[in-house]
Amino acid sequence: MTVIRTSLPSRPWRLALAAAVACAGCAAPADKPADGSAAQAAPPPAAASTEAAPPRAEPAPLPVKGLAEQEFDLGVKSYEDGDYKAAARHLQAAVNFGLPAAADRATAHKYLAFVSCTSREPRVCRDEFRKALAEDAAFDLTAAEAGHPIWGPVFRAVKAEAAPKAKGK
């Protein structure tokens, strides 16, 4: 009698590998169900509409600020940050570059007046307030600004001086 020996793998990992290879052929492909029936096709993606979509309205481009407006913005920001020297430089540049809006020119002169008043230059302060009123006859300070002990009285005097001139026009 002849004895046939089957050898079993001597290590457990060989047994696991053999089992994995044997089972690999049994798995159903992902697109076919395990029972052998035909897979149901997924619904087709929504058909593209033959109608052309209306063009999207482009937002209006933001106006590009000119050099004068940029200097004005820098001047106001510098003033608010307490850098009065830089504020005066930027605001004067804005006026020199031809700041287009009269209200902005008046505001630039207002801040220049504030800087001049606090720098103990009352004559320059008065001149800047005069320029502000020349740009906008209705120009006025806010209640907080008008109540300031340094420039409030100067502005009121300049405004009182300009009032008869404005009525005479």
Side-chain angles (χ1 to χ4, degrees):
M1 165 184 227
T2 310
V3 178
I4 300 177
R5 284 184 125 190
T6 57
S7 71
L8 294 174
S10 61
R11 299 198 177 178
W13 64 269
R14 288 183 184 169
L15 182 60
L17 178 63
V21 170
C23 289
C26 300
D31 61 341
K32 289 188 180 178
D35 65 0
S37 62
Q40 285 191 343
S49 173
T50 57
E51 296 177 25
R56 286 187 2 196
E58 293 295 322
L62 295 174
V64 176
K65 288 188 175 184
L67 188 55
E69 291 97 339
Q70 292 175 26
E71 288 290 330
F72 175 76
D73 291 344
L74 287 171
V76 172
K77 173 98 171 71
S78 295
Y79 184 86
E80 290 171 351
D81 290 345
D83 188 354
Y84 303 124
K85 190 173 184 177
R89 187 176 62 250
H90 289 298
L91 292 165
Q92 190 60 58
V95 171
N96 293 346
F97 288 140
L99 199 56
D104 288 344
R105 288 191 304 270
T107 301
H109 287 298
K110 172 186 82 168
Y111 284 120
L112 288 167
F114 290 174
V115 171
S116 298
C117 282
T118 56
S119 299
R120 301 187 197 288
E121 298 176 12
R123 185 187 55 76
V124 177
C125 179
R126 270 191 233 90
D127 289 345
E128 292 298 333
F129 278 134
R130 284 185 189 111
K131 290 175 186 176
L133 288 166
E135 293 293 344
D136 180 4
F139 174 77
D140 209 350
L141 299 179
T142 66
E145 292 168 341
H148 192 276
I150 297 174
W151 61 68
V154 176
F155 178 74
R156 284 190 292 278
V158 170
K159 189 156 184 165
E161 164 190 304
K165 292 178 187 175
K167 290 182 183 178
K169 285 187 178 180

PDB file of all heavy atoms in Angstrom, residues 2-29:
ATOM      1  N   THR A   2       0.418   2.158  -0.783  1.00  0.00           N
ATOM      2  CA  THR A   2       1.171   3.393  -0.922  1.00  0.00           C
ATOM      3  C   THR A   2       0.468   4.464  -0.116  1.00  0.00           C
ATOM      4  O   THR A   2      -0.736   4.660  -0.228  1.00  0.00           O
ATOM      5  CB  THR A   2       1.222   3.845  -2.391  1.00  0.00           C
ATOM      6  OG1 THR A   2       1.629   2.769  -3.168  1.00  0.00           O
ATOM      7  CG2 THR A   2       2.097   5.032  -2.570  1.00  0.00           C
ATOM      8  N   VAL A   3       1.235   5.136   0.659  1.00  0.00           N
ATOM      9  CA  VAL A   3       0.671   6.216   1.492  1.00  0.00           C
ATOM     10  C   VAL A   3       1.024   7.559   0.841  1.00  0.00           C
ATOM     11  O   VAL A   3       2.176   7.812   0.528  1.00  0.00           O
ATOM     12  CB  VAL A   3       1.242   6.159   2.919  1.00  0.00           C
ATOM     13  CG1 VAL A   3       0.706   7.292   3.741  1.00  0.00           C
ATOM     14  CG2 VAL A   3       0.977   4.828   3.518  1.00  0.00           C
ATOM     15  N   ILE A   4      -0.009   8.330   0.630  1.00  0.00           N
ATOM     16  CA  ILE A   4       0.206   9.660   0.065  1.00  0.00           C
ATOM     17  C   ILE A   4       0.100  10.662   1.214  1.00  0.00           C
ATOM     18  O   ILE A   4      -0.891  10.681   1.918  1.00  0.00           O
ATOM     19  CB  ILE A   4      -0.828   9.995  -1.016  1.00  0.00           C
ATOM     20  CG1 ILE A   4      -0.733   8.976  -2.139  1.00  0.00           C
ATOM     21  CG2 ILE A   4      -0.647  11.416  -1.515  1.00  0.00           C
ATOM     22  CD1 ILE A   4      -1.731   9.166  -3.203  1.00  0.00           C
ATOM     23  N   ARG A   5       1.105  11.385   1.314  1.00  0.00           N
ATOM     24  CA  ARG A   5       1.115  12.388   2.383  1.00  0.00           C
ATOM     25  C   ARG A   5       0.789  13.747   1.809  1.00  0.00           C
ATOM     26  O   ARG A   5       1.360  14.151   0.810  1.00  0.00           O
ATOM     27  CB  ARG A   5       2.481  12.482   3.015  1.00  0.00           C
ATOM     28  CG  ARG A   5       2.769  11.397   3.908  1.00  0.00           C
ATOM     29  CD  ARG A   5       4.080  11.647   4.526  1.00  0.00           C
ATOM     30  NE  ARG A   5       3.908  11.597   5.957  1.00  0.00           N
ATOM     31  CZ  ARG A   5       4.785  11.950   6.824  1.00  0.00           C
ATOM     32  NH1 ARG A   5       5.931  12.443   6.437  1.00  0.00           N
ATOM     33  NH2 ARG A   5       4.573  11.830   8.084  1.00  0.00           N
ATOM     34  N   THR A   6      -0.112  14.378   2.385  1.00  0.00           N
ATOM     35  CA  THR A   6      -0.368  15.783   2.036  1.00  0.00           C
ATOM     36  C   THR A   6       0.270  16.605   3.111  1.00  0.00           C
ATOM     37  O   THR A   6       0.116  16.344   4.298  1.00  0.00           O
ATOM     38  CB  THR A   6      -1.874  16.095   1.958  1.00  0.00           C
ATOM     39  OG1 THR A   6      -2.458  15.771   3.163  1.00  0.00           O
ATOM     40  CG2 THR A   6      -2.512  15.396   0.800  1.00  0.00           C
ATOM     41  N   SER A   7       0.990  17.525   2.677  1.00  0.00           N
ATOM     42  CA  SER A   7       1.626  18.333   3.703  1.00  0.00           C
ATOM     43  C   SER A   7       0.822  19.602   3.926  1.00  0.00           C
ATOM     44  O   SER A   7       0.361  20.237   2.998  1.00  0.00           O
ATOM     45  CB  SER A   7       3.063  18.674   3.302  1.00  0.00           C
ATOM     46  OG  SER A   7       3.055  19.587   2.254  1.00  0.00           O
ATOM     47  N   LEU A   8       0.636  19.884   5.126  1.00  0.00           N
ATOM     48  CA  LEU A   8      -0.056  21.115   5.503  1.00  0.00           C
ATOM     49  C   LEU A   8       1.001  22.185   5.712  1.00  0.00           C
ATOM     50  O   LEU A   8       2.127  21.888   6.104  1.00  0.00           O
ATOM     51  CB  LEU A   8      -0.854  20.895   6.795  1.00  0.00           C
ATOM     52  CG  LEU A   8      -2.015  19.924   6.671  1.00  0.00           C
ATOM     53  CD1 LEU A   8      -2.616  19.680   8.044  1.00  0.00           C
ATOM     54  CD2 LEU A   8      -3.056  20.451   5.720  1.00  0.00           C
ATOM     55  N   PRO A   9       0.625  23.377   5.433  1.00  0.00           N
ATOM     56  CA  PRO A   9       1.609  24.443   5.650  1.00  0.00           C
ATOM     57  C   PRO A   9       2.071  24.432   7.081  1.00  0.00           C
ATOM     58  O   PRO A   9       1.307  24.215   8.007  1.00  0.00           O
ATOM     59  CB  PRO A   9       0.852  25.730   5.330  1.00  0.00           C
ATOM     60  CG  PRO A   9      -0.359  25.316   4.583  1.00  0.00           C
ATOM     61  CD  PRO A   9      -0.631  23.891   4.939  1.00  0.00           C
ATOM     62  N   SER A  10       3.338  24.653   7.232  1.00  0.00           N
ATOM     63  CA  SER A  10       3.903  24.584   8.561  1.00  0.00           C
ATOM     64  C   SER A  10       3.715  25.875   9.343  1.00  0.00           C
ATOM     65  O   SER A  10       3.921  25.903  10.539  1.00  0.00           O
ATOM     66  CB  SER A  10       5.387  24.225   8.477  1.00  0.00           C
ATOM     67  OG  SER A  10       6.067  25.227   7.741  1.00  0.00           O
ATOM     68  N   ARG A  11       3.358  26.891   8.686  1.00  0.00           N
ATOM     69  CA  ARG A  11       3.177  28.160   9.401  1.00  0.00           C
ATOM     70  C   ARG A  11       1.776  28.695   9.165  1.00  0.00           C
ATOM     71  O   ARG A  11       1.224  28.557   8.069  1.00  0.00           O
ATOM     72  CB  ARG A  11       4.183  29.174   8.917  1.00  0.00           C
ATOM     73  CG  ARG A  11       5.582  28.667   9.191  1.00  0.00           C
ATOM     74  CD  ARG A  11       6.549  29.724   9.142  1.00  0.00           C
ATOM     75  NE  ARG A  11       7.842  29.120   9.483  1.00  0.00           N
ATOM     76  CZ  ARG A  11       8.942  29.762   9.495  1.00  0.00           C
ATOM     77  NH1 ARG A  11       8.965  31.013   9.194  1.00  0.00           N
ATOM     78  NH2 ARG A  11      10.054  29.165   9.808  1.00  0.00           N
ATOM     79  N   PRO A  12       1.194  29.338  10.178  1.00  0.00           N
ATOM     80  CA  PRO A  12      -0.192  29.820  10.049  1.00  0.00           C
ATOM     81  C   PRO A  12      -0.365  30.848   8.939  1.00  0.00           C
ATOM     82  O   PRO A  12      -1.387  30.883   8.291  1.00  0.00           O
ATOM     83  CB  PRO A  12      -0.486  30.455  11.403  1.00  0.00           C
ATOM     84  CG  PRO A  12       0.536  29.931  12.332  1.00  0.00           C
ATOM     85  CD  PRO A  12       1.709  29.510  11.504  1.00  0.00           C
ATOM     86  N   TRP A  13       0.616  31.655   8.649  1.00  0.00           N
ATOM     87  CA  TRP A  13       0.436  32.690   7.631  1.00  0.00           C
ATOM     88  C   TRP A  13       0.312  32.077   6.243  1.00  0.00           C
ATOM     89  O   TRP A  13      -0.360  32.608   5.384  1.00  0.00           O
ATOM     90  CB  TRP A  13       1.552  33.748   7.666  1.00  0.00           C
ATOM     91  CG  TRP A  13       2.930  33.246   7.336  1.00  0.00           C
ATOM     92  CD1 TRP A  13       3.842  32.784   8.200  1.00  0.00           C
ATOM     93  CD2 TRP A  13       3.508  33.167   6.038  1.00  0.00           C
ATOM     94  NE1 TRP A  13       4.979  32.410   7.559  1.00  0.00           N
ATOM     95  CE2 TRP A  13       4.799  32.647   6.200  1.00  0.00           C
ATOM     96  CE3 TRP A  13       3.081  33.472   4.750  1.00  0.00           C
ATOM     97  CZ2 TRP A  13       5.660  32.407   5.142  1.00  0.00           C
ATOM     98  CZ3 TRP A  13       3.950  33.249   3.695  1.00  0.00           C
ATOM     99  CH2 TRP A  13       5.223  32.737   3.893  1.00  0.00           C
ATOM    100  N   ARG A  14       0.936  30.901   6.051  1.00  0.00           N
ATOM    101  CA  ARG A  14       0.802  30.233   4.767  1.00  0.00           C
ATOM    102  C   ARG A  14      -0.619  29.722   4.578  1.00  0.00           C
ATOM    103  O   ARG A  14      -1.165  29.760   3.490  1.00  0.00           O
ATOM    104  CB  ARG A  14       1.795  29.069   4.661  1.00  0.00           C
ATOM    105  CG  ARG A  14       3.207  29.528   4.493  1.00  0.00           C
ATOM    106  CD  ARG A  14       4.112  28.344   4.313  1.00  0.00           C
ATOM    107  NE  ARG A  14       5.499  28.801   4.245  1.00  0.00           N
ATOM    108  CZ  ARG A  14       6.527  28.007   4.302  1.00  0.00           C
ATOM    109  NH1 ARG A  14       6.357  26.713   4.463  1.00  0.00           N
ATOM    110  NH2 ARG A  14       7.740  28.487   4.212  1.00  0.00           N
ATOM    111  N   LEU A  15      -1.208  29.255   5.646  1.00  0.00           N
ATOM    112  CA  LEU A  15      -2.588  28.788   5.604  1.00  0.00           C
ATOM    113  C   LEU A  15      -3.530  29.936   5.286  1.00  0.00           C
ATOM    114  O   LEU A  15      -4.431  29.800   4.453  1.00  0.00           O
ATOM    115  CB  LEU A  15      -2.956  28.136   6.943  1.00  0.00           C
ATOM    116  CG  LEU A  15      -4.355  27.552   7.041  1.00  0.00           C
ATOM    117  CD1 LEU A  15      -4.552  26.456   5.996  1.00  0.00           C
ATOM    118  CD2 LEU A  15      -4.611  26.988   8.428  1.00  0.00           C
ATOM    119  N   ALA A  16      -3.286  31.077   5.881  1.00  0.00           N
ATOM    120  CA  ALA A  16      -4.140  32.249   5.638  1.00  0.00           C
ATOM    121  C   ALA A  16      -3.992  32.726   4.193  1.00  0.00           C
ATOM    122  O   ALA A  16      -4.961  33.088   3.535  1.00  0.00           O
ATOM    123  CB  ALA A  16      -3.787  33.369   6.596  1.00  0.00           C
ATOM    124  N   LEU A  17      -2.782  32.664   3.666  1.00  0.00           N
ATOM    125  CA  LEU A  17      -2.535  33.083   2.290  1.00  0.00           C
ATOM    126  C   LEU A  17      -3.241  32.143   1.319  1.00  0.00           C
ATOM    127  O   LEU A  17      -3.871  32.580   0.351  1.00  0.00           O
ATOM    128  CB  LEU A  17      -1.028  33.123   2.012  1.00  0.00           C
ATOM    129  CG  LEU A  17      -0.628  33.509   0.589  1.00  0.00           C
ATOM    130  CD1 LEU A  17      -1.090  34.924   0.279  1.00  0.00           C
ATOM    131  CD2 LEU A  17       0.873  33.409   0.411  1.00  0.00           C
ATOM    132  N   ALA A  18      -3.166  30.868   1.581  1.00  0.00           N
ATOM    133  CA  ALA A  18      -3.815  29.893   0.713  1.00  0.00           C
ATOM    134  C   ALA A  18      -5.325  30.086   0.719  1.00  0.00           C
ATOM    135  O   ALA A  18      -5.987  30.007  -0.316  1.00  0.00           O
ATOM    136  CB  ALA A  18      -3.445  28.476   1.152  1.00  0.00           C
ATOM    137  N   ALA A  19      -5.887  30.362   1.867  1.00  0.00           N
ATOM    138  CA  ALA A  19      -7.338  30.571   1.969  1.00  0.00           C
ATOM    139  C   ALA A  19      -7.747  31.842   1.229  1.00  0.00           C
ATOM    140  O   ALA A  19      -8.772  31.871   0.540  1.00  0.00           O
ATOM    141  CB  ALA A  19      -7.745  30.647   3.432  1.00  0.00           C
ATOM    142  N   ALA A  20      -6.942  32.870   1.320  1.00  0.00           N
ATOM    143  CA  ALA A  20      -7.264  34.125   0.642  1.00  0.00           C
ATOM    144  C   ALA A  20      -7.227  33.958  -0.860  1.00  0.00           C
ATOM    145  O   ALA A  20      -8.082  34.445  -1.588  1.00  0.00           O
ATOM    146  CB  ALA A  20      -6.294  35.216   1.080  1.00  0.00           C
ATOM    147  N   VAL A  21      -6.230  33.214  -1.373  1.00  0.00           N
ATOM    148  CA  VAL A  21      -6.129  32.992  -2.816  1.00  0.00           C
ATOM    149  C   VAL A  21      -7.310  32.160  -3.294  1.00  0.00           C
ATOM    150  O   VAL A  21      -7.890  32.418  -4.346  1.00  0.00           O
ATOM    151  CB  VAL A  21      -4.776  32.321  -3.152  1.00  0.00           C
ATOM    152  CG1 VAL A  21      -4.734  31.864  -4.603  1.00  0.00           C
ATOM    153  CG2 VAL A  21      -3.643  33.275  -2.866  1.00  0.00           C
ATOM    154  N   ALA A  22      -7.686  31.175  -2.537  1.00  0.00           N
ATOM    155  CA  ALA A  22      -8.795  30.302  -2.926  1.00  0.00           C
ATOM    156  C   ALA A  22     -10.113  31.068  -2.953  1.00  0.00           C
ATOM    157  O   ALA A  22     -10.948  30.846  -3.820  1.00  0.00           O
ATOM    158  CB  ALA A  22      -8.888  29.120  -1.978  1.00  0.00           C
ATOM    159  N   CYS A  23     -10.295  31.958  -2.036  1.00  0.00           N
ATOM    160  CA  CYS A  23     -11.554  32.710  -1.962  1.00  0.00           C
ATOM    161  C   CYS A  23     -11.608  33.872  -2.940  1.00  0.00           C
ATOM    162  O   CYS A  23     -12.677  34.369  -3.259  1.00  0.00           O
ATOM    163  CB  CYS A  23     -11.778  33.236  -0.543  1.00  0.00           C
ATOM    164  SG  CYS A  23     -12.188  31.924   0.606  1.00  0.00           S
ATOM    165  N   ALA A  24     -10.481  34.307  -3.442  1.00  0.00           N
ATOM    166  CA  ALA A  24     -10.455  35.459  -4.340  1.00  0.00           C
ATOM    167  C   ALA A  24     -11.263  35.196  -5.593  1.00  0.00           C
ATOM    168  O   ALA A  24     -11.915  36.066  -6.133  1.00  0.00           O
ATOM    169  CB  ALA A  24      -9.019  35.828  -4.690  1.00  0.00           C
ATOM    170  N   GLY A  25     -11.260  34.002  -6.085  1.00  0.00           N
ATOM    171  CA  GLY A  25     -12.011  33.674  -7.281  1.00  0.00           C
ATOM    172  C   GLY A  25     -13.499  33.584  -7.019  1.00  0.00           C
ATOM    173  O   GLY A  25     -14.293  33.564  -7.947  1.00  0.00           O
ATOM    174  N   CYS A  26     -13.911  33.450  -5.782  1.00  0.00           N
ATOM    175  CA  CYS A  26     -15.321  33.304  -5.446  1.00  0.00           C
ATOM    176  C   CYS A  26     -16.061  34.632  -5.335  1.00  0.00           C
ATOM    177  O   CYS A  26     -17.272  34.661  -5.404  1.00  0.00           O
ATOM    178  CB  CYS A  26     -15.472  32.575  -4.110  1.00  0.00           C
ATOM    179  SG  CYS A  26     -14.763  30.922  -4.117  1.00  0.00           S
ATOM    180  N   ALA A  27     -15.360  35.689  -5.155  1.00  0.00           N
ATOM    181  CA  ALA A  27     -16.023  36.979  -4.934  1.00  0.00           C
ATOM    182  C   ALA A  27     -16.656  37.475  -6.217  1.00  0.00           C
ATOM    183  O   ALA A  27     -16.132  37.304  -7.302  1.00  0.00           O
ATOM    184  CB  ALA A  27     -15.001  38.005  -4.447  1.00  0.00           C
ATOM    185  N   ALA A  28     -17.838  38.064  -6.084  1.00  0.00           N
ATOM    186  CA  ALA A  28     -18.550  38.623  -7.240  1.00  0.00           C
ATOM    187  C   ALA A  28     -17.970  39.984  -7.561  1.00  0.00           C
ATOM    188  O   ALA A  28     -17.614  40.737  -6.671  1.00  0.00           O
ATOM    189  CB  ALA A  28     -20.031  38.745  -6.918  1.00  0.00           C
ATOM    190  N   PRO A  29     -17.864  40.299  -8.858  1.00  0.00           N
ATOM    191  CA  PRO A  29     -17.391  41.637  -9.209  1.00  0.00           C
ATOM    192  C   PRO A  29     -18.326  42.682  -8.629  1.00  0.00           C
ATOM    193  O   PRO A  29     -19.502  42.430  -8.404  1.00  0.00           O
ATOM    194  CB  PRO A  29     -17.426  41.673 -10.738  1.00  0.00           C
ATOM    195  CG  PRO A  29     -17.606  40.251 -11.180  1.00  0.00           C
ATOM    196  CD  PRO A  29     -18.151  39.493 -10.010  1.00  0.00           C
TER     197      PRO A  29
END
